[in-house]
Amino acid sequence: MTTLKLRYKGFLNTPTLWNKASVWELQQFAIEKQHQKIAIDIDNNLRLGKYVERLVSFQISALPNTTILAENLQIQDQRQTVGELDVLLKRDTQHIHLEVVYKFYVYDPSVGHSEIEHCIGPNRKDSLVEKLDKLKNKQLPLLNTNPCKSYLEPFNLTAKAFVQQVYFKAQLFLPYHQPNITLKTLNTNCVMGIYCNFKELLHFKTYKFYCPEKKDWLITPHTGVNWISYTTLRPLAQTYVEEQYAILLWAKSPTGTLKKLMLVWW
């Protein structure tokens, strides 16, 4: 299976961060799990976020009774870009403005006071709360602004014709020392592994490791890679820690069990 197919399969197998109940009044775009042949070509130089948007485009295009009206629609006001609409689509008789999100979060109980507040970026530079706030108060409201009106005219539609939804997928990583945390608001199926710091990595010294490139973080771990020992990994991992940069590892136990392990610098 090609790398593109593996990435797409991993993307499909990543659940939405919440299901039927809304979070912050944000409704998820519902897509039944698909396993389809992939016959697309994506520029491998795209950054992960844009790469995922192309995967989403392919997935939506394959849905029955669904038509994509516009993608990555740059909204300008007096020649200044004020924002972007990810996807405008028509599904059956319903028009949808869809914002696409794919994130990696670690669950840090020391941050905030709620399940949602505990979810932060592996490098501690962003958080789920920040992203939800941006969606609710900036990205979705853009549709209803005056600059956006002219961009909807070619479709003979107004903002009122659209319902607004998000397609928010995520991989969650629980603390090494608390791997059995129970989620109540967020989707438990999003838990893809655990995270640890450099000191805790010592507990995995009998494991073999593989360090995938960023877009391969989408992929479900498999055995067909070049594994390295803890001894080989350690100086590489130390470099990332010193640069304050988290990395995702595939870890293979002595018995052959595979897991995802997020190594954080803090």
Side-chain angles (χ1 to χ4, degrees), residues 176 196-207 209 230 234:
Y176 161 73
C196 71
N197 58 32
F198 187 69
K199 183 178 180 180
E200 292 166 333
L201 186 63
L202 181 63
H203 294 283
F204 299 91
K205 64 181 180 180
T206 60
Y207 282 59
F209 299 92
Y230 170 80
R234 185 176 172 84

Side-chain angles (χ1 to χ4, degrees), residues 23-229:
V23 168
W24 283 36
E25 300 179 340
L26 300 173
Q27 298 290 334
Q28 287 276 13
F29 182 66
I31 302 182
E32 291 187 5
K33 196 171 183 179
Q34 297 168 300
H35 291 288
Q36 56 199 206
K37 288 187 176 181
I38 184 168
I40 55 172
D41 186 25
I42 301 179
D43 183 358
N44 197 51
N45 292 321
L46 291 174
R47 298 185 65 171
L48 180 60
K50 291 297 182 184
Y51 194 93
V52 166
E53 287 180 1
R54 304 314 310 144
L55 297 179
V56 171
S57 177
F58 178 73
Q59 185 185 23
I60 291 176
S61 298
L63 294 174
N65 306 315
T66 303
T67 303
I68 294 177
L69 304 176
E71 298 177 88
N72 307 122
L73 194 59
Q74 297 276 333
I75 307 301
Q76 294 190 330
D77 184 14
Q78 299 180 353
R79 297 184 179 181
Q80 181 177 355
T81 301
V82 293
E84 178 181 288
L85 305 180
D86 283 351
V87 185
L88 298 179
L89 62 95
K90 183 179 181 181
R91 190 179 199 181
D92 296 319
T93 60
Q94 187 175 67
H95 292 92
I96 301 172
H97 164 213
L98 186 67
E99 288 297 314
V100 175
V101 185
Y102 193 107
K103 288 287 189 179
F104 298 84
Y105 290 121
V106 297
Y107 191 92
D108 186 347
S110 71
V111 176
H113 304 283
S114 70
E115 189 170 293
I116 290 176
E117 292 174 341
H118 295 333
C119 295
I120 62 173
N123 290 313
R124 305 188 79 85
K125 291 182 179 179
D126 61 352
S127 68
L128 176 54
V129 167
E130 290 172 335
K131 185 58 184 177
L132 293 174
D133 180 69
K134 185 178 180 180
L135 282 167
K136 187 174 177 63
N137 297 310
K138 183 177 180 181
Q139 292 176 270
L140 291 173
L142 179 63
L143 180 73
N144 297 294
T145 61
N146 284 328
C148 196
K149 289 181 179 179
S150 62
Y151 291 87
L152 301 180
E153 288 175 356
F155 310 111
N156 294 316
L157 296 169
T158 64
K160 292 181 180 180
F162 290 86
V163 297
Q164 294 187 297
Q165 297 178 348
V166 297
Y167 193 30
F168 199 133
K169 288 178 169 242
Q171 296 187 32
L172 297 182
F173 295 83
L174 301 181
Y176 161 73
H177 55 280
Q178 292 178 276
N180 298 315
I181 292 173
T182 301
L183 301 177
K184 297 179 180 179
T185 302
L186 302 177
N187 187 357
T188 301
N189 292 327
C190 285
V191 176
M192 297 292 177
I194 58 175
Y195 71 91
C196 71
N197 58 32
F198 187 69
K199 183 178 180 180
E200 292 166 333
L201 186 63
L202 181 63
H203 294 283
F204 299 91
K205 64 181 180 180
T206 60
Y207 282 59
K208 298 292 186 180
F209 299 92
Y210 174 70
C211 184
E213 65 167 279
K214 189 65 178 284
K215 286 187 285 290
D216 289 345
W217 288 19
L218 297 169
I219 297 176
T220 302
H222 58 85
T223 57
V225 296
N226 295 320
W227 299 95
I228 60 175
S229 67

